[in-house]
């Protein structure tokens, strides 16, 4: 059951989530620009020795280069997913701040890669791990992954809170469900 919000509070908090979206998008676009201007000519530069290097890579697919060459599909799918996430965030207005922050990160990161696919057909990736064989990724990917992780955490926390709220009722009835 949703608690009523005080007047004006929802609008202020939604403004904060718009700022998160814009900040994630701007940081992603800035780092991709810098990678294109400074890293592309070099190819690879050390970053965190033994952990990560900066490696310029153009990806025309999705995660791990899946759906490579499927530009139209990726644009349509990503556009629909972003629209659905934005509708959920701004019209349903989830009560959990963690859930709202997770959605804002997902939208901001998704928007960064979406714009690249629409504009050039490729996404600029530049973070490459050196301690394990892993896909090259970018700031937008980081926001999407952290957003997904926070969304999962939000679901677990909500379930735990729901169980905690239900426990006092079980104690009043003696903890039995009448199936003995």
């Amino acid at each position: 059951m949703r608690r009523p919000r005080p007047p004006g509070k929802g609008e202020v908090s939604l403004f904060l989530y718009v700022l998160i979206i814009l900040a994630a998008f701007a940081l992603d676009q800035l780092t991709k620009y810098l990678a294109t201007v400074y890293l592309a000519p070099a190819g690879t530069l050390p970053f965190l020795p033994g952990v990560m290097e900066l490696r310029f890579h153009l990806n025309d697919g999705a995660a791990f280069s899946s759906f490579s060459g499927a530009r139209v599909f990726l644009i349509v799918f990503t556009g629909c997913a972003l629209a659905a996430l934005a509708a959920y965030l701004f019209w349903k207005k989830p009560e959990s701040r963690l859930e709202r922050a997770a959605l804002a990160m997902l939208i901001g990161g998704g928007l960064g890669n979406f714009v690249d696919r629409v504009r050039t057909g490729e996404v600029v990736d530049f973070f490459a791990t050196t301690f394990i064989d892993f896909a090259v990724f970018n700031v937008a990917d980081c926001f999407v992954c952290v957003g997904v992780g926070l969304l999962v955490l939000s679901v677990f926390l909500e379930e735990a809170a729901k169980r905690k709220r239900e426990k006092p009722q079980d104690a009043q009835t003696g903890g039995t469900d009448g199936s003995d």
Side-chain angles (χ1 to χ4, degrees):
M1 178 171 222
R2 292 177 64 122
R3 291 178 281 143
R5 287 197 175 101
K9 182 179 179 188
E11 291 78 20
V12 171
S13 66
L14 286 179
F15 178 71
L16 173 65
Y17 300 108
V18 169
L19 286 178
I20 292 171
I21 292 168
L22 293 175
F25 175 75
L27 183 61
D28 173 64
Q29 293 297 296
L30 174 64
T31 56
K32 288 174 180 173
Y33 169 78
L34 294 172
T36 301
V37 170
Y38 297 106
L39 184 58
T44 302
L45 294 173
F47 184 54
L48 298 171
V51 177
M52 187 172 288
E53 66 186 11
L54 299 177
R55 182 184 320 148
F56 187 81
H57 176 76
L58 294 174
N59 181 2
D60 71 342
F64 307 104
S65 295
S66 59
F67 299 101
S68 184
R71 179 182 183 188
V72 173
F73 169 77
L74 288 171
I75 289 171
V76 170
F77 179 81
T78 305
C80 290
L82 288 171
L85 290 171
Y88 182 71
L89 176 62
F90 295 111
W91 281 281
K92 184 183 181 297
K93 299 177 184 170
E95 190 172 317
S96 163
R97 287 185 297 231
L98 183 60
E99 185 178 357
R100 290 191 306 260
L103 291 168
M105 293 175 98
L106 276 165
I107 294 167
L111 190 59
N113 284 341
F114 176 76
V115 166
D116 289 351
R117 283 193 189 99
V118 169
R119 196 176 62 225
T120 66
E122 299 173 308
V123 173
V124 174
D125 291 326
F126 50 88
F127 289 125
T129 57
T130 56
F131 68 99
I132 58 170
D133 186 22
F134 192 72
V136 182
F137 57 98
N138 59 41
V139 170
D141 300 333
C142 295
F143 276 105
V144 168
C145 290
V146 171
V148 167
L150 291 176
L151 202 54
V152 169
L153 178 62
S154 174
V155 168
F156 282 123
L157 292 174
E158 182 58 35
E159 276 299 310
K162 182 178 172 184
R163 285 189 187 138
K164 191 174 184 178
R165 286 190 303 268
E166 290 172 353
K167 248 188 182 173
Q169 291 174 334
D170 290 343
Q172 290 173 353
T173 62
T176 62
D177 61 2
S179 62
D180 290 333

